[in-house]
Amino acid sequence: MSDNTPKKLKYYAAGWKESKTTEYMDVFNPSTGEVIALAPKCTVDEVEEAISTAKTAFESWKEVPPSKRAQVLFKMKALLDAHLDELTELVATENGKCWNEAKGDVLKVTEVVEFAAGVPHLMKGDSLMQVSRGYDTVQFKEPMGVFAGIAPWNFPAMIPMGWMAPMAIATGNSLVIKAASFVPQTAIRILELWEEAGLPKGVLNLVTCSRHESELLLRHPDIKGVSFVGSTKVGLHIYATAAANGKRVQALTEAKNHALVLKDAHLPRTVAGIMNSSFGCAGERCMALPVICVEEEIADDLIELLVAKMKELKVGPATDKTSQLGPVINAGHKEFVTNWITKGVEEGAKLIVDGRDVKVEGHENGFYVGPTLFDNVTPEMEIGQKEVFGPVLCIKRVKDFDDGLAQMNANEFANGSVIYTQSGYYARKFARYTDGGQVGINVGIPVPNGIFGFTGHKNSFFGDLHAMGTDGIRFFTELKSVTSTWFDEEEGKKHTTSTWDGTI
């Protein structure tokens, strides 16, 4: 076998196993266009095996005290620190994020592991003595069983091994991860670190498969809940199907985040924030900033500054630490993004910077799309309303604050929203009345720290309990209320009569 032959990956069900499948899915290096690994399209029986394994592991894992489970997370945090560069290179290689972006992806795993290590405190319940005369009530948070995590390809580390795994594990549940077939190697390597940290076999399991096999995760009676990140169309299907089968669901879906730039904004700082949030990760993130609503009288100045910065942006391979804009995930997605650019032109938007024909010397087969800028995008144009998931930025010129806010809130998605202003009055009004669930005030990517929930709204989220934060703890646990009263052993009488005479 040649050294250049892509390796066949395995699945994990209480141990690494070769799939019996005859079908494998290509894993690319987006920077070069080469196939670097083959992910198995696991069979229904293998998905069933992962669920069964998780169920068995749950029975013993749930009995481990939270303080002992936390020790595994402390060890995991140390391993993530020790392997940071290795994991960063893995993310950059299979996903195409630039080096610092890939490192950020891994560090978000560490952030949630640190939060979840506080599980002895986070799982404390409520209690009230003398809830009624002679009666006390205590509420406990208890683990539920086997959960499924269906992960997207745009954050190979953060989402499956940050948003999903630490919270499920810390609260005493077991988990089956369906890793994205485009980028499974990062999750595979992090699962190996969980093993090294002392996580018992079967508590965390991993499969790669098609949507057909993953349907089992939505319907299987042993699955108690499903955490999903991906498109709105798929998220709605998962939400409806899993909920109809009696499961909890959190489905984090698409976005078309907008920023409102007021005429008093500090333009150089504003442009720096927009560049990072719009073109970082090649625009392939649900917290990207693809639309800017700008007050008309400063629109030309803003565009001039943006164009100058876009011309300076270095497009290159992800593992080159000087690259500022890496490739998109694969050839199919490159075509999807460039088709959207063409559609924007057809809709009548003014194309200021065109990224469709960018070439990277020495990496001609990579999946590159350069920074792209549209001006005069109007509310009826789909280029400014639908998720492109690429390095494409749209400018909507607005009359004032109220016009801008109205255009932003008219969008069907509400993952995040941003305002750039020096006015405390308008910043406060924006925070109160924007539909966006995650709000930035002079902050281009208002993703909260892992101690808070990831709070998308409208068609950006389906479910009741969000990922991360205290919502994440509640999603993976259920409450049990215990009410008790006690009898006098000698007299057999309940202590229900107060002897207090009212004096102090």
Side-chain angles (χ1 to χ4, degrees):
M1 181 180 288
S2 167
D3 291 340
N4 294 325
T5 301
K7 60 181 178 180
K8 287 186 175 181
L9 303 176
K10 299 178 180 181
Y11 73 99
Y12 188 95
W16 295 104
K17 301 181 179 181
E18 296 273 2
S19 175
K20 293 182 172 62
T21 187
T22 58
E23 297 182 73
Y24 282 79
M25 300 169 282
D26 292 339
V27 179
F28 287 92
N29 178 337
S31 296
T32 65
E34 298 171 307
V35 177
I36 55 175
L38 300 170
K41 189 181 289 186
C42 289
T43 66
V44 169
D45 286 345
E46 288 163 349
V47 176
E48 177 91 51
E49 177 191 10
I51 296 171
S52 177
T53 296
K55 183 182 180 182
T56 300
F58 168 69
E59 294 304 320
S60 55
W61 183 241
K62 71 179 182 181
E63 300 298 338
V64 176
S67 59
K68 296 296 185 183
R69 297 198 295 262
Q71 296 306 311
V72 176
L73 279 93
F74 285 129
K75 291 176 184 176
M76 184 61 182
K77 194 272 181 188
L79 288 168
L80 288 167
D81 289 343
H83 292 270
L84 178 59
D85 284 348
E86 174 198 352
L87 294 171
T88 297
E89 186 167 7
L90 253 180
V91 172
T93 301
E94 69 174 356
N95 175 269
K97 291 180 194 289
C98 293
W99 187 266
N100 285 336
E101 296 164 352
K103 181 177 287 187
D105 193 336
V106 178
L107 289 173
K108 293 299 283 188
V109 180
T110 306
E111 182 180 286
V112 183
V113 167
E114 288 177 335
F115 170 68
V119 70
H121 170 72
L122 295 168
M123 284 191 73
K124 289 192 302 185
D126 297 318
S127 64
L128 180 61
M129 180 174 280
Q130 198 77 341
V131 67
S132 182
R133 188 170 293 177
Y135 290 81
D136 308 322
T137 297
V138 177
Q139 283 192 330
F140 300 100
K141 293 188 182 82
E142 294 193 325
M144 297 175 62
V146 182
F147 281 78
I150 301 176
W153 50 261
N154 62 321
F155 279 87
M158 180 185 79
I159 293 176
M161 294 300 177
W163 290 5
M164 298 173 181
M167 307 294 274
I169 289 167
T171 50
N173 299 283
S174 57
L175 181 67
V176 177
I177 290 284
K178 178 197 173 293
S181 60
F182 294 162
V183 291
Q185 296 177 103
T186 301
I188 286 171
R189 181 66 185 117
I190 295 176
L191 200 161
E192 291 174 345
L193 295 181
W194 276 111
E195 280 191 299
E196 191 176 338
L199 188 69
K201 290 182 181 296
V203 173
L204 181 59
N205 305 274
L206 184 147
V207 296
T208 51
C209 59
S210 73
R211 291 181 182 178
H212 170 71
E213 293 81 23
S214 63
E215 281 289 309
L216 185 63
L217 299 171
L218 313 181
R219 304 174 188 273
H220 197 286
D222 290 336
I223 296 287
K224 302 301 181 183
V226 179
S227 181
F228 167 80
V229 180
S231 72
T232 294
K233 180 180 178 181
V234 176
L236 274 170
H237 168 72
I238 287 173
Y239 180 56
T241 306
N245 282 273
K247 308 183 190 316
R248 287 189 178 180
V249 186
Q250 53 179 201
L252 291 77
T253 53
E254 293 177 43
K256 192 72 171 181
N257 304 322
H258 286 49
L260 175 56
V261 180
L262 299 185
K263 59 190 176 185
D264 71 334
H266 187 284
L267 281 186
R269 288 288 301 273
T270 298
V271 167
I274 292 170
M275 290 295 295
N276 179 45
S277 51
S278 299
F279 303 118
C281 298
E284 296 172 326
R285 54 187 175 193
C286 63
M287 286 303 291
L289 193 56
V291 183
I292 308 298
C293 295
V294 55
E295 286 194 283
E296 176 68 45
E297 63 185 271
I298 62 162
D300 290 339
D301 294 337
L302 179 72
I303 290 170
E304 183 180 353
L305 289 171
L306 283 169
V307 170
K309 290 295 183 182
M310 290 169 71
K311 288 179 178 178
E312 296 173 0
L313 208 59
K314 181 180 177 181
V315 181
T319 51
D320 180 346
K321 294 182 182 180
T322 66
S323 295
Q324 296 170 300
L325 177 60
V328 297
I329 188 67
N330 56 32
H333 192 61
K334 177 180 178 180
E335 182 180 11
F336 176 82
V337 173
T338 55
N339 284 347
W340 266 112
I341 298 172
T342 301
K343 183 175 179 60
V345 174
E346 292 171 349
E347 289 183 313
K350 183 179 180 181
L351 186 58
I352 304 294
V353 180
D354 188 351
R356 286 176 290 185
D357 297 321
V358 67
K359 301 293 181 185
V360 177
E361 186 176 351
H363 295 83
E364 288 78 10
N365 294 324
F367 310 124
Y368 296 95
V369 179
T372 298
L373 179 64
F374 280 105
D375 188 17
N376 298 123
V377 176
T378 55
E380 68 275 6
M381 295 179 184
E382 289 193 357
I383 188 67
Q385 300 287 22
K386 301 294 184 181
E387 187 175 63
V388 174
F389 225 55
V392 179
L393 178 59
C394 298
I395 301 294
K396 294 181 179 179
R397 295 172 179 244
V398 300
K399 291 180 289 187
D400 53 24
F401 173 89
D402 291 329
D403 181 29
L405 183 64
Q407 288 202 37
M408 297 170 78
N409 284 348
N411 192 257
E412 65 177 298
F413 305 112
N415 219 26
S417 59
V418 173
I419 187 169
Y420 286 98
T421 182
Q422 295 301 305
S423 167
Y425 171 81
Y426 281 118
R428 183 178 184 276
K429 187 175 181 181
F430 182 83
R432 187 174 182 193
Y433 292 109
T434 179
D435 288 346
Q438 294 158 116
V439 181
I441 298 173
N442 300 314
V443 174
I445 310 172
V447 177
N449 184 279
I451 65 176
F452 297 99
F454 191 91
T455 49
H457 292 172
K458 293 167 73 171
N459 280 351
S460 294
F461 178 76
F462 302 96
D464 298 305
L465 296 168
H466 294 271
M468 300 193 301
T470 53
D471 259 20
I473 295 294
R474 288 195 294 266
F475 179 75
F476 287 107
T477 57
E478 60 185 355
L479 286 176
K480 179 180 288 182
S481 300
V482 179
T483 300
S484 60
T485 189
W486 299 93
F487 300 88
D488 186 299
E489 291 183 3
E490 294 182 0
E491 299 179 10
K493 295 179 181 179
K494 286 198 296 185
H495 285 208
T496 58
T497 302
S498 173
T499 58
W500 182 46
D501 64 3
T503 60
I504 298 177

